[in-house]
Each structure stands twice: as structure tokens, then as C-alpha cells.
Amino acid sequence: MTILETKDLTFTYPDGDSRKIILNDVNVGFEIGKFYTILGPSGSGKTTFLSLIAALDTPEKGEILLNGENIGKIGLEKFRRDHIGIIFQSYNLIPYMNALENVMVAMSITDNKIDGDLKQNALRVLESVGIDGTKATRRINRLSGGEQQRVAIARAISTNVEIIVADEPTGNLDGKTSETIIEIFKELAHKQKKCVIMVTHSEKIAQQSDVILKLNTDIQNFEAHTN
Amino acid sequence: MNFLKRSFISMIRNCSKILPLFFAVFVVGNLLCSAVAIKQTTLNTKKQFEKAFGTKIIFDYKNGYQNIGYEENNIKYRNLGAVFKEIDQLDIYSYSNISYFSNSLVSQNVKYQENENIYYEYEDMPLFIWGIDETIPIDEKEYDIELVDGRTFTQTELNHSKHVVVLSENFKITKDSKIRNIGIGDVVFIENEPFEVIGIYKRSKNVQIEINGYNEDNNCTRIYMPLGSLDEITTNINHIPVPIKAFFQLNDIEDTDLFMENYASFTKGIQIPDDFYMMKSTELFEKIGAPIESLSNISSYILVTTEIIMILILMLFVFLIMKNRKHEIGILYALGERKYKIILQFIFEIYLVGLLALSCSTITGCKLGQCLSTTLMNIDNKEELTIKEKQEQLHLIEMNQVDYSIEYFGQVFVACSLAMIISIGFPISYILRFEPKKILM
């Protein structure tokens, strides 16, 4: 079942007097319960694409549809708040807060229903990504990179959203930690029936996903490969 | 974890970043409080002046009394006397006080112990005989003179035109600087009529009078007696005393217009002296309150300047804070937080720090403002004022007080709050115009 799709998505950057085409009439759909990776060389527009489908930026042309409805109509803020969880390469956690507070911030922002006590829920989600109670109360800068990325994942999934997007979440992590993160994504897609979309430049990591979307720099569009 | 809680957490954990803002607001707050304190002082002083001096209308002569004596002018003075009598019938004032004077008695036949002519220590100075129709002479009422011995007139003495006088203590000194033992109960002869001395007065301490000659309105040359007595002794020489000084203390400031209307109707079609002036206490304030008014203007400029400086400093600090926290704004916005909540979080956080700094600066700023206003008032003390005006100006400066009223705090806090909200709201709103991706870049 397609939850998110793009229609004729186009994006350009200013390049001197002209504009450089990054994405050109991209049409792609994403389904619930699948783990997608977007693969491509640097400058191919992976992060730009992710920013557009995460409503962090607006396309020049084309539409992004959530269950057939344009996200512009839903409202970009509301879309981010209630439908999508974003994991950044650089974690983007609030530095003066601890892990638990970072998760609770996202939980308090969303309008999605969260059963039970907010704090207990946050602790449970953190536990599910491998952050125990002791680490949960540590300030962010006292956690390792891998732990910070787990907190970022916990924050993204804590709001009960259907779609999780991750921009090279393993880019700053060692191999073993990267493996753990990928396992969490697989579990989110397959067991928790989320639609997980991850940008990576690693062929090896991409091989673990259900669908690889390769961004070709020449045609500025996707080639889909199902694993 | 709503935006208020986020503000508190940020404030507690970002102390070192917030501290410069605290000190900036404290310093600017002191300036602002000083300006407001000065401004409020001037307003308070004006109010207190009105309360203390009431609403009075004063009639006096600009250039002394040299025009009195000419029959043509005396008609005008008598016309004015008639006007005063008509005004006297109105019930819009709590009391009035009119002094009369007869030119024919100047320096003439004022003798002590039947044979010694009384002269003032400055022998060229004339002695003026003033007729009083109130128990207290207008000059004492107006703080020009101060009774040092004896008393003023009783109502019985006024009603029955008793032969009693109040003299200056300067009459105790003869022209060749010898002591004359004139005192209460003594008898002086005016136009060969005996008058008992019932009171001795002196000039008020605060007033420094320069004696420049005949025309100087020098109240030490005055001899006060009941108006009836003056009438009586002038009848023999066929001279009618004329009013030379009067004031009316109105019940209410609102009655000023009514008084002026009546005055205009009473003086319509009749000739009145050209060289007298009429001054309302409100006008008096405008004249003698010049330092206060200039202070008020200065404080207004300081206030406006300080507010601009405050907004600029706050904007600078907020800009620096925002530069540090821009990423956080981007994170919150990327998470889908509503714009207004992000703005409120930062406004609340910075405003709370500002408010704390402001509360501290209110106390110190108020003291600073008090010192500053007193200093400025003393500097701007006009020399060209008359003795009486100077005296009242001194009273006015003494009234200079800053009170910690709700109005005072209200003014300071409203001004600062506006400055802070503008300086915080503007940059955040600007940042939030961009998409989260651009903010996070």
C-alpha cells in the first residue's frame, strides 16, 4: 500500500546565471512495511530528495502526496509533526537536554495520540533502541555518536508516525554500530509496519534494504531495484 | 515538555550564555528607570505644586508703584478696586486677600515717640502704608515676610478699623545704625494719628532682596494696618486708597475659567491700569517650573534614546543568542513545532531573564534618577526670576520626590517589555520565514 508518492518532482539550484537541475520529474512511491534506501553518488540529490519528502524544503514543481493528498494541503508543519519522523546524519539533538528530554520534546510536539505517561513512553522507546534508563538521563554531549543516533531514532519513532526518513544515519558511525542501526530500521519497517526511507552512499548497507532507489546523476531520476 | 518547560530548562542550563544578556538589560534598565524616575518626578512635583499652592490668581504690578499718585492713573486703580470688590462677592474661591495703598502717605509723617521721624535704614527709601482687609497680610500669606514678634490683625481690629500696625524689624535700626527700641505695644504716629505696634516682621530667610532704588518692590518698607484705618486717615487728605496687590485662592482648578469669565465681564468697558499683571498658579508653575519642565524634556529624550538603545542592545544580544540557538529553532521547526510556540519559547526565556534584570535595575535606577534629577534641577536654576518666584521655585525643588508607585513600575516594565518583545520577536520571526532545511544549514 503506497503511503507516500512523488509526482513530477523537480528541484533546481542556482548555478551562476543558469539553474542546475537536481531532480527532474521524479515519480516514485513508498509503501508501508518496507525499508527503502536511496543510493547515489555525492551531489546526485539524495539529501535534497529526502528534504522534500520530509517537508523540510519545498519543491519547485511537482507534488508530494500522502495517501493521495498533497502535503501542502495538509500543511508542511502538520505533516512533519504528525506523519513523519526525521533522522539526520548529524543527529540534530538539542544539546542542553538529556536523551529523555529530547524524545519528550518530539512527543509533546506531535498531535498523535500517545497512550499513557509521556515519560514512561519515552523511556520505553529509548529502551527499544538500546538506551537504558541511566543513559536516558545523560546530557546529549555525554553520549557517544552511536548512542546519539539511537536517541535520534527514538525521537523519530516516539511520535507514532508512519514514515521514518533518515539521511545517512550511519555516516558518522563505525561498522558495528551501523549494523545495529540498520537492524533497528529493518525491525521498524517489518515488525512495526513503518515506511522507512534511508539515504546512503554505501552499497553494502543498501543491499540490506527491501528496495534500492538509485539516483542517476545524468537523468536526475530514479532506477528502482528490489532486493 | 511544552514550550514553557523548554524555556525553563534552557534558562537553567544555559546560564553562562544568558548572563551577558542579564547584565546588558540591567545596565540599560538603570538608564531607563532613571529616565522614567526623572519624568515621574517632574509630574509628581507639578501635581504637588498644584496641591500645595492651590489654584490661585495673583494681581500685582510689574514696575513698582510709581504710577500711583497721578490722578489719571488713580482712577484706573480705583476701577480695579471696584472689580476686586465684585469678584469678592463670588463664591468660587476659598479666600482672597487684597492690599491697598495710598501714595499720599509715602514717607510722610510717620513718627515714633512723637518727635522722631521714622526712616528706614536706607534713608532714601519711602515708607509705604498698606491697608489690609484680611487678618493675615498677603505678603505673609505669600511667604514674602515672616512674623518675628507679636501678631497680625484680629477680625475685630479689621472690622472696627483699630489703630494698629505691623512693622518691619528693620525699623529698629536708625539711619545712622543706632538701635531704636521700637517693640510690641509701642506707639507710632502716622499723619499725627497714634497706632499701636502689634507685630514685627522680617523678610523671609530664603529671599535675597537687592535694593535698587525707589521703585523696588521691597516689602521691608511696608507698614501694614487695617484697611478701615487707612481709609480713615486718608479721608483727611482727600485720597482714596487703591488696590495694589491681590490674590484669590480658588476652590478648584476648574473654577479658573469661570473666574476669568467673571473678570472679563467686570472689566468690560472700564479702564484698568496697564502696568499690572495677572498670573494664574498654572502660569506661575510654567514660569518658575522651568527647571522641572526642562528636566521633563531631558527625561523624555533620555527615555526615547534609552528605549532605542535598549532595543538595539537587546537585538544585538538576541541576535547573538539566536545565532547560537538557530540550530535549535531549526530542530524544533523540523519536528513540526508550531511557529508561534517557538517564538513564545524564546520570548518567554529571554523576557524572564530580562525581567529579572529589570527588577534589580528598577531599584538602583530609581535612586540614580533621584540623584540625577536633583542635580539637574539645581544646575538649571534661572537667575532672572523675581524673589517670590525664586522662593516658590525652592519649594518646588524641595518637592522633588520619586515614589515607588505602581504607575512608576508600570511605566518601566511596559517600556522594557515592549522593547524586549520587539527585539526578540523580530529576529525569530525572520528566521522562521525560512524552511527548516535552510535554518539547519
Side-chain angles (χ1 to χ4, degrees):
Chain A
M1 184 191 139
T2 304
I3 183 168
L4 191 75
E5 60 183 311
T6 64
K7 272 191 178 174
D8 305 328
L9 200 65
T10 302
F11 196 87
T12 60
Y13 279 128
D15 185 19
D17 292 338
S18 60
R19 293 189 77 85
K20 187 185 176 189
I21 300 169
I22 303 295
L23 300 167
N24 191 18
D25 289 335
V26 174
N27 293 286
V28 65
F30 299 95
E31 291 177 15
I32 284 281
K34 280 190 178 172
F35 176 27
Y36 295 85
T37 48
I38 297 169
L39 198 65
S42 294
S44 60
K46 303 184 299 289
T47 301
T48 302
F49 178 75
L50 203 75
S51 298
L52 293 172
I53 61 166
L56 296 174
D57 209 346
T58 44
E60 277 175 32
K61 206 185 107 193
E63 288 180 301
I64 299 155
L65 307 170
L66 175 78
N67 295 321
E69 193 182 359
N70 192 318
I71 60 166
K73 282 186 182 169
I74 297 168
L76 300 185
E77 265 174 52
K78 186 171 171 55
F79 175 72
R80 291 197 298 267
R81 188 161 60 235
D82 299 339
H83 299 286
I84 202 158
I86 309 163
I87 299 154
F88 301 90
Q89 185 181 6
S90 54
Y91 325 129
N92 278 341
L93 297 166
I94 298 171
Y96 57 83
M97 288 184 182
N98 60 34
L100 180 66
E101 285 163 347
N102 265 284
V103 175
M104 284 170 74
V105 165
M107 290 169 97
S108 64
I109 287 172
T110 186
D111 294 330
N112 292 340
K113 197 182 175 199
I114 296 162
D115 295 323
D117 180 54
L118 214 67
K119 191 178 173 183
Q120 290 308 315
N121 261 299
L123 283 168
R124 185 181 51 75
V125 176
L126 281 165
E127 193 84 50
S128 74
V129 294
I131 301 289
D132 60 28
T134 320
K135 285 179 181 171
T137 51
R138 272 190 206 161
R139 290 275 276 274
I140 288 302
N141 51 16
R142 289 194 172 181
L143 295 174
S144 69
E147 285 167 339
Q148 287 189 42
Q149 197 57 288
R150 282 164 200 252
V151 175
I153 295 167
R155 184 178 66 183
I157 61 174
S158 66
T159 53
N160 289 337
V161 289
E162 310 98 318
I163 308 158
I164 308 286
V165 294
D167 184 12
E168 299 202 41
T170 55
N172 297 334
L173 306 176
D174 59 67
K176 198 182 169 189
T177 314
S178 298
E179 277 301 315
T180 318
I181 300 292
I182 298 304
E183 281 309 312
I184 292 169
F185 285 150
K186 279 157 83 176
E187 194 183 307
L188 284 169
H190 303 144
K191 289 188 180 166
Q192 297 187 35
K193 297 295 171 200
K194 308 273 182 195
C195 170
V196 180
I197 307 161
M198 186 180 89
V199 161
T200 182
H201 60 266
S202 163
E203 191 86 39
K204 193 183 160 195
I205 289 171
Q207 289 304 324
Q208 298 185 59
S209 65
D210 300 321
V211 181
I212 303 170
L213 296 164
K214 280 191 177 171
L215 253 179
N216 189 319
T217 44
D218 297 329
I219 57 166
Q220 291 92 32
N221 213 328
F222 283 112
E223 287 172 17
H225 300 272
T226 307
N227 289 323
Chain B
M1 185 67 69
N2 59 22
F3 69 93
L4 287 176
K5 200 169 178 188
R6 290 203 298 266
S7 297
F8 277 118
I9 291 175
S10 168
M11 237 184 316
I12 294 161
R13 297 185 190 164
N14 288 322
C15 266
S16 59
K17 288 174 186 166
I18 294 283
L19 220 57
L21 177 74
F22 179 91
F23 285 114
V25 175
F26 180 75
V27 171
V28 184
N30 265 297
L31 270 174
L32 197 71
C33 291
S34 304
V36 173
I38 294 168
K39 196 160 179 61
Q40 207 210 10
T41 302
T42 56
L43 289 173
N44 278 351
T45 309
K46 192 170 183 175
K47 273 183 198 164
Q48 285 187 44
F49 174 83
E50 282 172 0
K51 198 177 164 188
F53 291 87
T55 306
K56 61 189 170 190
I57 294 176
I58 303 155
F59 293 88
D60 207 346
Y61 289 87
K62 293 175 198 165
N63 308 312
Y65 310 115
Q66 72 269 39
N67 291 331
I68 300 173
Y70 298 105
E71 194 53 40
E72 183 194 329
N73 287 329
N74 281 353
I75 291 166
K76 292 179 184 176
Y77 290 124
R78 281 172 202 138
N79 284 342
L80 192 62
V83 169
F84 288 157
K85 276 186 180 154
E86 285 190 84
I87 294 171
D88 231 6
Q89 304 304 312
L90 301 172
D91 56 358
I92 56 170
Y93 55 88
S94 54
Y95 65 87
S96 64
N97 204 324
I98 308 165
S99 296
Y100 292 81
F101 168 82
S102 175
N103 186 52
S104 63
L105 287 177
V106 173
S107 292
Q108 290 176 16
N109 293 320
V110 182
K111 287 182 180 176
Y112 175 57
Q113 292 174 348
E114 293 192 40
N115 49 12
E116 186 195 358
N117 282 316
I118 293 183
Y119 289 97
Y120 187 48
E121 61 174 314
Y122 303 89
E123 58 182 307
D124 292 334
M125 293 299 289
L127 301 175
F128 296 94
I129 317 294
W130 284 51
I132 306 298
D133 66 348
E134 295 289 333
T135 51
I136 301 167
I138 188 168
D139 290 332
E140 194 185 344
K141 207 80 173 162
E142 292 286 280
Y143 311 108
D144 287 349
I145 62 162
E146 193 181 321
L147 205 67
V148 289
D149 201 4
R151 58 178 174 82
T152 56
F153 309 102
T154 63
Q155 197 57 50
T156 316
E157 284 164 348
L158 294 172
N159 293 345
H160 295 94
S161 305
K162 293 278 183 192
H163 283 200
V164 283
V165 286
V166 176
L167 300 175
S168 165
E169 67 174 358
N170 289 27
F171 290 123
K172 287 183 171 182
I173 302 161
T174 62
K175 62 179 178 181
D176 47 0
S177 300
K178 286 179 183 169
I179 300 296
R180 182 190 283 133
N181 289 322
I182 197 164
I184 304 297
D186 284 355
V187 173
V188 291
F189 289 83
I190 301 168
E191 289 295 311
N192 301 319
E193 291 285 335
F195 282 80
E196 184 192 345
V197 178
I198 58 160
I200 307 261
Y201 70 86
K202 65 169 185 175
R203 288 189 308 235
S204 290
K205 281 175 193 169
N206 293 333
V207 187
Q208 294 299 315
I209 300 170
E210 284 178 20
I211 299 164
N212 295 325
Y214 183 88
N215 294 329
E216 179 65 36
D217 177 16
N218 187 332
N219 53 26
C220 286
T221 65
R222 292 171 193 171
I223 296 170
Y224 301 95
M225 66 169 64
L227 181 60
S229 309
L230 182 66
D231 279 336
E232 197 181 288
I233 55 170
T234 49
T235 309
N236 303 332
I237 50 173
N238 201 23
H239 267 275
I240 300 164
V242 292
I244 50 167
K245 192 171 183 180
F247 84 74
F248 298 90
Q249 183 79 43
L250 304 185
N251 293 327
D252 199 303
I253 194 157
E254 304 291 322
D255 291 333
T256 313
D257 290 340
L258 187 62
F259 182 93
M260 298 315 291
E261 280 171 28
N262 276 294
Y263 177 74
S265 70
F266 294 148
T267 52
K268 199 175 179 182
I270 61 162
Q271 282 191 308
I272 53 170
D274 308 321
D275 65 336
F276 89 102
Y277 69 89
M278 178 176 60
M279 189 188 273
K280 288 176 265 181
S281 58
T282 45
E283 288 171 358
L284 183 68
F285 178 82
E286 279 162 23
K287 198 172 178 189
I288 65 167
I292 295 174
E293 284 298 323
S294 62
L295 207 58
S296 178
N297 291 336
I298 291 168
S299 68
S300 296
Y301 296 135
I302 294 173
L303 198 66
V304 172
T305 315
T306 315
E307 284 205 21
I308 293 167
I309 291 170
M310 186 164 196
I311 290 172
L312 291 174
I313 289 179
L314 274 172
M315 280 183 117
L316 184 73
F317 271 90
V318 171
F319 177 77
L320 293 172
I321 289 170
M322 288 300 121
K323 206 179 162 193
N324 279 328
R325 309 277 297 275
K326 191 177 148 222
H327 203 71
E328 186 187 334
I329 293 171
I331 294 168
L332 291 168
Y333 199 33
L335 291 174
E337 182 60 299
R338 290 165 175 89
K339 281 182 184 177
Y340 80 90
K341 284 191 178 175
I342 300 174
I343 295 171
L344 281 177
Q345 177 190 332
F346 282 87
I347 284 182
F348 187 76
E349 183 183 327
I350 296 168
Y351 184 65
L352 216 65
V353 175
L355 213 62
L356 197 69
L358 201 61
S359 303
C360 299
S361 65
T362 310
I363 300 155
T364 49
C366 189
K367 291 283 169 207
L368 199 68
Q370 176 82 69
C371 299
L372 206 64
S373 64
T374 310
T375 312
L376 286 171
M377 271 194 192
N378 288 331
I379 290 166
D380 197 1
N381 210 338
K382 284 195 171 181
E383 288 303 319
E384 65 266 26
L385 296 177
T386 65
I387 300 143
K388 202 174 134 40
E389 286 164 352
K390 270 189 180 176
Q391 196 177 19
E392 293 199 344
Q393 193 176 68
L394 284 169
H395 281 277
L396 208 59
I397 291 168
E398 280 165 15
M399 285 177 187
N400 167 34
Q401 279 294 326
V402 178
D403 59 344
Y404 292 89
S405 64
I406 294 168
E407 195 190 349
Y408 168 76
F409 285 111
Q411 276 186 34
V412 171
F413 282 95
V414 166
C416 288
S417 299
L418 281 174
M420 281 196 275
I421 288 168
I422 291 167
S423 57
I424 302 161
F426 182 72
I428 300 181
S429 305
Y430 180 76
I431 291 171
L432 287 172
R433 281 174 65 243
F434 299 106
E435 297 296 340
K437 190 187 169 187
K438 283 199 181 78
I439 302 171
L440 285 167
M441 272 163 78

